[in-house]
């Protein structure tokens, strides 16, 4: 069982905080430091972004961090080099998030195998169509015991939600509002967000549900955790480390501001 | 014979498909489930044809260019898409899509634009239909295509300058797609045969009026509806898709696509996708594109904003892959020279994009009795400043 599945299996009545950051941002060699600092500070899952030049689903904050990371020289190859000893130091579940094109150039099978080798637990690729997932990814992922999270949104029909859940493992990614990342559309007072997450709960899905997009503070983090299994914070964290640096004290300060 | 039509999953051979985040899934489904039956309706067809005739000015002439023909010792015909209302072929597609958008009940229209021709064509049909219009345009293109920016504004569109990435068409397209994600009730009026299925098919269909007319016009002039070659420039590839459409299954008609070589294919400042590209995913479809070995999309270069795009549509990638299409490229300089030659010999100032297609006459030799149709996709008014400054340098 991979670390992600194990985490949810052992989870009892606690909040879940999944933190996203772009590999190679703010500096090329900070990836493992940031992962370790997040673990120590109390994050539960790491979503590690593979930078892409044309990130369609991302708002300005993650677009810019991706641009910087690419300028810094981050590549899939480089990332795997950096992660090669990560499991000697931390057991926090790590999922890689990115866009398909860099993976296609790296080679899908090689990518999955190398990710498993360094101790990655799962993937999120928002632009991977279900049909191609079944055709090319599913068997390879099973063989390596890696998870895959599909996205669902407030506009996704119930039958499709069930189908995407069936094909996911680890967790299902609930996009909190129809938007790009870091949007101000998700809000605590937004009835739509509540109704949507309640609807997901009623579907009795196989996977835990983590909600992300636009979740930026303690208040929203709490609300989301009361409605589903956990929250994903990305743009707000990127903004924080851009302003305050990625030293462990800065990361501790951010996580405390959300969790305590 | 290979099939050059899209399959049920939206693929041309191994290219195409819909590689989109889930947020766009309902938008794309709505289009996919509705566009075929809507455009097949008689009422749609009637309105489409009558607007093309009375508003756009179709059919556009197929003109026998006698002085160019004499110079190149063959029979050269120009399909005069430059004579369309708004000055290019782009309006064929915007008329079609705006009628579709209206039937889908959409009131807010967004578009991306490179040279500004598609932006102008979109702003025009939005003015015609009284719909809100937002056009995304790379900041670099806003600068080099000022006349078109002013036209869009006069037509009532809001022009959003895009400052991310290379600040050209690629980034304008990203930004339009992001707008669409954030505004589900909006209609995204895409301007080329790119993007997720069903866009490439839809845009090609609306542009296919070009080759439809070429067939009967050429028959009137020569007795045969099939030319020996059709030549068109390719950025994303909408004018070429329209000019090739009805000839793809007729192997005796050569389909010749001309890409922008920029300062030269191997100078690092080029937009010649088939020469420099490899298979990848951009803007929601799998096709050929210019990228690094790590899969980052490369910033292209062309003097022509309309060809300054790092990919080609999946239909063209398939034509290239199956060798049905012949792909060449012309440099900035070759295009400008060709534009001057065409202007002096025939009194037609072509768009910079179009001048890449005519530039290929210097490289390819046709037989004296052959009939060669060049799609004159747009007029050069918007490029005057570039033409003049290039020659003065």
């Amino acid at each position: 069982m991979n670390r992600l599945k194990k985490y949810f299996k052992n989870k009892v009545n606690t909040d879940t905080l999944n933190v996203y950051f772009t590999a190679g941002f703010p500096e090329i060699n900070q990836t493992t430091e940031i992962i370790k600092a997040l673990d120590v500070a109390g994050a539960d899952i790491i979503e590690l972004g593979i930078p892409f030049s044309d990130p369609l689903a991302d708002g300005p904050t993650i677009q810019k961090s991706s641009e910087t990371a690419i300028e810094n020289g981050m590549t899939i190859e480089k990332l795997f080099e950096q992660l090669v000893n990560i499991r000697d130091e931390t057991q926090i579940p790590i999922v890689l998030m990115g866009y398909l094109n860099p993976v296609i150039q790296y080679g899908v099978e090689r990518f999955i195998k190398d990710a498993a080798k360094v101790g990655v637990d799962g993937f999120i690729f928002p632009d991977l169509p279900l049909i191609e997932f079944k055709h090319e990814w599913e068997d390879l992922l099973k063989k390596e015991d890696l998870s895959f999270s599909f996205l669902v949104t407030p506009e996704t029909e119930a039958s499709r939600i069930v189908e995407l859940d069936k094909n996911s493992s680890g967790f299902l990614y609930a996009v909190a509002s129809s938007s790009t990342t870091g949007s101000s559309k998700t809000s605590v007072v937004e009835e739509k967000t509540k109704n949507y997450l309640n609807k997901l709960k009623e579907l009795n899905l196989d996977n835990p549900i983590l909600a992300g997009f636009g979740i930026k503070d303690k208040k929203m983090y709490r609300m989301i955790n009361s409605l589903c299994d956990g929250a994903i914070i990305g743009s707000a964290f990127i903004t924080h480390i851009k302003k305050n640096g990625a030293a462990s004290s800065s990361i501790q300060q951010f996580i405390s501001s959300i969790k305590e | 014979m290979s099939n050059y039509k899209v399959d049920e999953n939206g693929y041309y051979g191994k290219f195409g498909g819909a590689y989109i985040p889930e947020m766009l899934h309902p938008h794309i489904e709505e289009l996919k489930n509705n566009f075929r039956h809507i455009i097949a309706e008689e009422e749609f067809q009637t309105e489409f044809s009558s607007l093309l005739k009375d508003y756009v000015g179709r059919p556009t002439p197929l003109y026998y260019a006698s002085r160019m023909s004499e110079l190149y010792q063959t029979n050269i015909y120009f399909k005069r898409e430059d004579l369309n209302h708004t000055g290019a072929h782009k309006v064929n597609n915007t008329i079609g899509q705006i009628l579709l958008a209206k039937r889908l009940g959409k009131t807010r229209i967004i578009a991306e634009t490179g040279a500004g021709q598609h932006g102008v064509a979109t702003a025009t049909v939005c003015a015609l239909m009284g719909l809100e219009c937002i056009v995304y345009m790379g900041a670099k293109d806003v600068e080099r295509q000022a006349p078109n920016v002013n036209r869009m504004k006069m037509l009532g569109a809001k022009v959003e300058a895009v400052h991310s990435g290379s600040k050209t068409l690629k980034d304008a397209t990203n930004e339009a797609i992001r707008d669409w994600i954030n505004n589900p009730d909006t209609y995204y009026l895409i301007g080329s045969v790119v993007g997720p299925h069903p866009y490439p098919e839809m845009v090609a269909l609306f542009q296919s009026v070009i080759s439809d007319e070429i067939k009967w016009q050429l028959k009137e002039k020569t007795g045969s509806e099939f030319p020996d070659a059709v030549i068109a420039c390719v950025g994303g590839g909408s004018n070429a898709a329209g000019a090739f459409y009805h000839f793809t299954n007729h192997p005796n008609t050569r389909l010749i696509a001309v890409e922008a070589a920029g300062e030269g294919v191997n100078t690092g400042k080029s937009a010649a996708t088939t020469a420099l590209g490899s298979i990848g995913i951009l803007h929601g479809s799998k096709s050929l594109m210019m990228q690094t070995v790590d899969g980052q999309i490369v910033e292209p270069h062309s003097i022509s904003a309309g060809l300054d795009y790092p990919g080609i549509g999946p239909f063209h990638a398939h034509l290239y892959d199956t060798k049905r299409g012949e792909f060449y490229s012309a440099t900035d300089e070759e295009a400008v020279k060709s534009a001057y030659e065409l202007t002096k010999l025939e009194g037609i100032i072509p768009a910079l994009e179009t001048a890449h297609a005519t530039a290929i006459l210097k490289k390819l030799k046709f037989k004296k009795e052959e009939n060669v149709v060049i799609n004159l996709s747009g007029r050069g008014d918007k490029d005057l400043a570039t033409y003049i400054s290039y020659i003065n340098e």
Side-chain angles (χ1 to χ4, degrees):
Chain A
M1 190 181 289
N2 68 44
R3 292 166 203 86
L4 190 61
K5 292 180 190 163
K6 223 178 277 170
Y7 168 80
F8 283 109
K9 194 177 164 228
N10 297 333
K11 170 175 158 144
V12 253
N13 289 331
T14 50
D15 288 351
T16 294
L17 174 60
N18 177 341
V19 179
Y20 167 94
F21 75 97
T22 311
F25 178 87
E27 305 288 339
I28 181 82
N29 287 324
Q30 284 179 302
T31 313
T32 53
E33 273 171 51
I34 295 175
I35 293 173
K36 283 183 278 178
L38 281 168
D39 184 18
V40 170
D44 302 297
I45 299 167
I46 306 282
E47 186 183 323
L48 190 50
I50 301 168
F52 179 47
S53 53
D54 298 79
L56 280 186
D58 287 304
T61 305
I62 295 180
Q63 282 174 46
K64 288 210 183 81
S65 68
S66 299
E67 254 175 57
T68 306
I70 293 167
E71 278 165 26
N72 288 344
M74 183 48 75
T75 63
I76 292 176
E77 213 143 6
K78 180 95 196 159
L79 178 59
F80 287 155
E81 269 171 38
Q82 293 180 344
L83 294 180
V84 75
N85 294 319
I86 192 76
R87 289 310 175 199
D88 299 339
E89 305 183 74
T90 167
Q91 298 310 313
I92 190 166
I94 298 174
V95 294
L96 299 183
M97 182 273 167
Y99 294 84
L100 213 43
N101 196 53
V103 175
I104 288 180
Q105 307 317 313
Y106 191 88
V108 173
E109 186 170 356
R110 177 179 165 223
F111 174 75
I112 291 171
K113 283 186 171 158
D114 288 356
K117 226 180 281 170
V118 298
V120 163
D121 301 291
F123 300 118
I124 303 165
F125 286 100
D127 58 350
L128 175 64
L130 191 53
I131 176 174
E132 199 154 314
F133 170 82
K134 287 181 181 171
H135 177 69
E136 210 179 346
W137 288 65
E138 195 174 16
D139 291 346
L140 293 168
L141 292 174
K142 273 202 184 115
K143 217 158 67 187
E144 303 289 346
D145 187 27
L146 290 171
S147 291
F148 192 96
S149 299
F150 278 97
L151 272 58
V152 298
T153 82
E155 321 293 330
T156 312
E157 282 176 18
S159 60
R160 186 168 166 85
I161 292 172
V162 170
E163 193 188 9
L164 292 169
D165 176 56
K166 287 263 179 293
N167 283 284
S168 296
S169 70
F171 64 90
L172 184 68
Y173 195 133
V175 176
S177 57
S178 303
S179 66
T180 43
T181 55
S183 162
S184 52
K185 263 181 152 183
T186 309
S187 131
V188 272
V189 290
E190 187 67 74
E191 276 304 308
K192 224 179 139 186
T193 308
K194 286 184 191 168
N195 294 341
Y196 158 60
L197 292 173
N198 282 328
K199 183 183 95 180
L200 287 181
K201 202 184 276 176
E202 283 161 18
L203 286 170
N204 285 319
L205 301 171
D206 291 348
N207 290 291
I209 295 158
L210 298 189
F213 282 45
I215 297 160
K216 49 170 117 1
D217 54 28
K218 184 196 276 186
K219 204 167 156 194
M220 292 172 84
Y221 172 76
R222 289 241 168 103
M223 180 201 74
I224 294 291
N225 266 286
S226 72
L227 294 165
C228 66
D229 300 289
I232 303 170
I233 298 188
S235 299
F237 180 64
I238 299 285
T239 304
H240 176 86
I241 57 175
K242 194 172 181 179
K243 198 173 151 204
N244 304 295
S248 55
S249 55
S250 160
I251 289 173
Q252 181 68 58
Q253 184 204 348
F254 180 82
I255 300 299
S256 302
S257 77
I258 299 291
K259 276 202 129 177
E260 278 161 23
Chain B
M1 191 190 294
S2 297
N3 191 355
Y4 298 99
K5 294 256 183 296
V6 75
D7 73 16
E8 61 192 272
N9 294 316
Y11 285 84
Y12 297 91
K14 54 185 170 218
F15 305 103
Y19 297 81
I20 47 167
E22 188 61 27
M23 293 78 88
L24 286 178
H25 184 80
H27 312 27
I28 288 294
E29 284 295 296
E30 182 186 27
L31 266 184
K32 214 169 72 182
N33 295 336
N34 291 300
F35 99 90
R36 279 200 197 83
H37 74 81
I38 289 178
I39 68 172
E41 281 165 12
E42 203 186 318
E43 193 222 323
F44 181 97
Q45 282 298 329
T46 309
E47 197 177 353
F48 183 51
S49 325
S50 81
L51 279 171
L52 287 185
K53 177 169 176 277
D54 300 330
Y55 185 71
V56 174
R58 302 203 71 92
T60 58
L62 183 71
Y63 163 70
Y64 180 74
S66 56
R67 298 187 69 198
M68 289 283 278
S69 295
E70 200 189 320
L71 177 65
Y72 290 103
Q73 290 294 297
T74 189
N75 298 304
I76 296 171
Y77 292 86
F78 288 131
K79 180 59 175 161
R80 297 292 307 275
E81 292 301 298
D82 59 317
L83 295 178
N84 281 323
H85 178 43
T86 72
H89 71 289
K90 290 288 186 190
V91 73
N92 302 327
N93 168 50
T94 61
I95 292 276
Q97 285 200 57
I98 206 73
L99 294 178
L100 179 63
K102 264 181 69 183
R103 280 161 177 78
L104 292 170
K106 310 286 181 180
T107 54
R108 180 177 180 271
I109 309 296
I110 56 170
E112 83 295 336
T113 197
Q117 288 304 113
H118 175 59
V120 167
T122 304
T124 299
V125 296
C126 286
L128 179 68
M129 300 294 172
L131 298 172
E132 184 187 357
C133 179
I134 296 111
V135 179
Y136 289 92
M137 188 170 187
K140 191 171 146 195
D141 294 336
V142 168
E143 230 168 80
R144 60 179 167 174
Q145 302 287 341
N148 273 345
V149 174
N150 292 329
R151 287 166 82 195
M152 285 186 268
K153 287 183 179 162
M154 187 165 171
L155 287 159
K158 191 172 165 203
V159 180
E160 291 276 4
V162 175
H163 291 274
S164 59
S166 55
K167 303 181 176 57
T168 61
L169 181 54
K170 164 180 92 87
D171 309 283
T173 308
N174 286 337
E175 222 40 62
I177 294 175
R178 290 185 189 116
D179 178 310
W180 203 24
I181 287 174
N182 284 291
N183 299 284
D185 295 331
T186 289
Y187 184 88
Y188 178 24
L189 205 162
I190 212 163
S192 193
V193 286
V194 300
H197 175 65
Y199 277 111
E201 179 194 3
M202 203 162 75
V203 176
L205 262 173
F206 289 137
Q207 291 294 358
S208 69
V209 62
I210 300 172
S211 49
D212 197 41
E213 289 176 3
I214 292 173
K215 279 174 83 175
W216 64 259
Q217 289 172 320
L218 195 69
K219 186 157 192 189
E220 270 181 15
K221 288 185 160 53
T222 69
S224 165
E225 47 184 32
F226 296 107
D228 296 292
V230 182
I231 303 176
C233 63
V234 172
S238 71
N239 93 77
F244 294 168
Y245 196 88
H246 291 289
F247 303 117
T248 49
N249 286 322
H250 188 265
N252 292 335
T253 298
R254 292 169 67 185
L255 306 178
I256 298 171
V258 187
E259 297 180 296
E263 295 181 9
V265 171
N266 296 316
T267 59
K269 288 193 149 190
S270 177
T273 303
T274 56
L276 298 168
S278 54
I279 195 163
I281 289 160
L282 179 68
H283 298 145
S285 66
K286 190 179 270 183
S287 192
L288 293 171
M289 57 211 44
M290 291 164 52
Q291 55 187 320
T292 66
V293 289
D294 302 309
Q296 308 299 349
I297 307 302
V298 164
E299 298 180 9
H301 168 84
S302 168
I303 193 171
S304 136
L307 303 182
D308 205 349
Y309 185 72
I312 52 172
F315 167 73
H316 294 295
H318 185 51
L319 289 183
Y320 176 77
D321 193 48
T322 57
K323 301 195 166 56
R324 175 68 187 94
E326 301 168 42
F327 284 71
Y328 299 93
S329 63
T331 63
D332 293 349
E333 191 181 350
E334 288 164 345
V336 171
K337 282 189 175 151
S338 181
Y340 274 85
E341 179 181 275
L342 176 58
T343 304
K344 287 202 174 114
L345 286 180
E346 300 287 350
I348 298 170
I349 302 177
L352 263 169
E353 291 76 16
T354 311
H356 286 73
T358 52
I360 210 65
L361 289 169
K362 288 243 180 292
K363 297 183 185 173
L364 295 180
K365 182 87 189 111
F366 295 97
K367 293 193 189 108
K368 195 151 174 57
E369 67 279 11
E370 283 185 317
N371 293 321
V372 177
V373 175
I374 301 179
N375 196 32
L376 232 106
S377 55
R379 67 176 88 124
D381 310 25
K382 68 183 176 61
D383 298 313
L384 274 188
T386 313
Y387 281 141
I388 290 161
S389 71
Y390 196 91
I391 280 302
N392 287 344
E393 263 168 31

